[in-house]
Amino acid sequence: MRLSSPEDSLALGERLAAVVRPGDVIALSGPLGAGKTSIARGLLAALGLEEEAPSPSFAIVQPYDPPHVRFPVLHVDLYRIEEPEEAEELGLDEAREDSLLIVEWPERLGEDYWHDALWLSLELTPDGARALTAKVPAAWRDRWLLT
Ligand SMILES: Nc1ncnc2c1ncn2[C@@H]1O[C@H](COP(=O)(O)OP(=O)(O)OP(=O)(O)O)[C@@H](O)[C@H]1O
Ligand SMILES: [Mg+2]
């Protein structure tokens, strides 16, 4: 799938919001500036968030709870995590029970850690757009209708 503009990235997030549920993990992979936060912003806005979601690069984990969003969401940015062990303290395993996890830089913990995640990879294209590919696990097969 091609995302030609920042608006396309936001719109993809909005479309994801229509099919996500608590317990899901959406992994957003791709180089610096690929549009990961933009997709997360579109998704959070469509779940009800009124203010623009900040990038969680410094907080690492940015939680959102009702009534600001429809159900609990953790927006996570693992860019600054250097060792997988550092992530244990973030409480992601417990959070997964009742929250949606949106994870930027998921590869910091290794792909296997996210075996049931909807894994979206973004690449920059020479013309300034973004190319998106999806790795779709069983839990998403009847929901990933976007390509
Ligand atoms: N599909 C797109 N086409 C062109 N530009 C885009 C697209 N999506 C997002 N952008 C722009 O790319 C820039 C970086 O976007 P964003 O912050 O979402 O990237 P990121 O992947 O989260 O970066 P980081 O790795 O720093 O967290 C922003 O200026 C954004 O508007
Ligand atoms: Mg980002």
Side-chain angles (χ1 to χ4, degrees), residues 53-67:
S55 171
S57 336
F58 291 98
I60 302 185
V61 178
Q62 182 69 52
Y64 298 93
D65 287 300

Side-chain angles (χ1 to χ4, degrees), residues 65-108:
D65 287 300
H68 306 288
V69 284
R70 239 170 39 219
F71 48 75
V73 181
L74 292 190
H75 183 189
V76 183
D77 187 332
L78 299 174
Y79 183 69
R80 295 190 307 138
I81 297 286
E82 283 166 7
E83 301 292 334
E85 296 74 47
E86 290 176 49
E88 279 166 27
E89 294 161 28
L90 300 175
L92 301 182
D93 286 335
E94 303 96 88
R96 288 195 50 173
E97 288 164 23
D98 66 344
S99 304
L100 164 68
L101 253 58
I102 308 171
V103 187
E104 301 185 37
W105 296 97
E107 46 282 283
R108 289 286 194 267

Side-chain angles (χ1 to χ4, degrees), residues 2-10 30-41 55-57 77 79 104-105 122 128-131:
R2 187 181 147 84
L3 303 172
S4 308
S5 65
E7 291 71 33
D8 278 3
S9 297
L10 289 170
L32 279 172
K36 303 178 292 294
T37 300
S38 304
I39 293 173
R41 277 192 181 125
S55 171
S57 336
D77 187 332
Y79 183 69
E104 301 185 37
W105 296 97
L122 290 159
R130 307 292 189 262

Side-chain angles (χ1 to χ4, degrees), residues 14 24 28 32 34 47 52 87 91-92 105 108 114-115 129 138 145:
E14 275 167 39
D24 284 339
L28 298 171
L32 279 172
L47 289 179
E52 184 180 81
L92 301 182
W105 296 97
R108 289 286 194 267
W114 309 107
H115 58 92
L145 305 166

